[in-house]
């Protein structure tokens, strides 16, 4: 009886461990996808959809027309702003 109990516990433990072993790498892959592209998430750089102190994505050296950024992931508005702003050389 006690041997049977131990086997069940071990089985449950292995099942849980197997689930974690499968899910953890998948979660890490999903969250690191942006990092693998070499781009920061909008949240990490405090991206906003409006200009800040006269600075906007359309004037930033990292902006790529019409709606992308070389260093921040996702769709970027030319009127947006983030903490990585660097004024485009004129
Ligand atoms: S301000 Fe930020 S999001 Fe906008 S183009 Fe520059 S680096 Fe990209």
């Amino acid at each position: 009886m006690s041997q049977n109990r131990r086997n069940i516990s071990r089985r449950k433990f292995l099942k849980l461990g197997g689930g974690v072993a499968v899910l953890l790498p998948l979660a890490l892959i999903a969250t690191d996808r942006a990092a693998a592209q070499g781009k920061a998430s909008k949240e990490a750089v405090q991206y906003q959809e409006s200009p800040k102190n006269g600075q906007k994505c359309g004037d930033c050296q990292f902006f790529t027309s019409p709606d992308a950024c070389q260093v921040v992931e996702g769709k970027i508005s030319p009127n947006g702003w983030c903490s990585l702003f660097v004024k485009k050389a004129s």
Side-chain angles (χ1 to χ4, degrees):
M1 180 71 170
S2 105
Q3 176 67 31
N4 194 20
R5 237 184 186 174
R6 203 178 326 163
N7 286 343
I8 290 171
S9 293
R10 185 185 301 159
R11 201 176 305 142
K12 279 185 179 175
F13 176 79
L14 290 174
K15 247 183 171 177
L16 285 173
V20 170
V22 170
L23 293 177
L24 185 59
L26 290 177
L28 291 174
I29 288 168
T31 55
D32 282 353
R33 193 181 304 163
Q37 293 173 341
K39 292 188 177 186
S41 70
K42 289 179 177 178
E43 294 78 22
V45 296
Q46 292 96 47
Y47 174 81
Q48 60 187 48
E49 291 286 334
S50 57
K52 183 173 183 178
N53 299 327
Q55 299 175 338
K56 60 182 183 179
C57 294
D59 296 332
C60 176
Q61 75 173 27
F62 298 119
F63 185 70
T64 304
S65 187
D67 59 4
C69 173
Q70 296 169 27
V71 294
V72 178
E73 69 177 348
K75 190 172 179 176
I76 302 295
S77 166
N79 291 314
W81 176 90
C82 89
S83 61
L84 299 178
F85 177 88
V86 176
K87 186 161 177 54
K88 207 182 292 182
S90 44

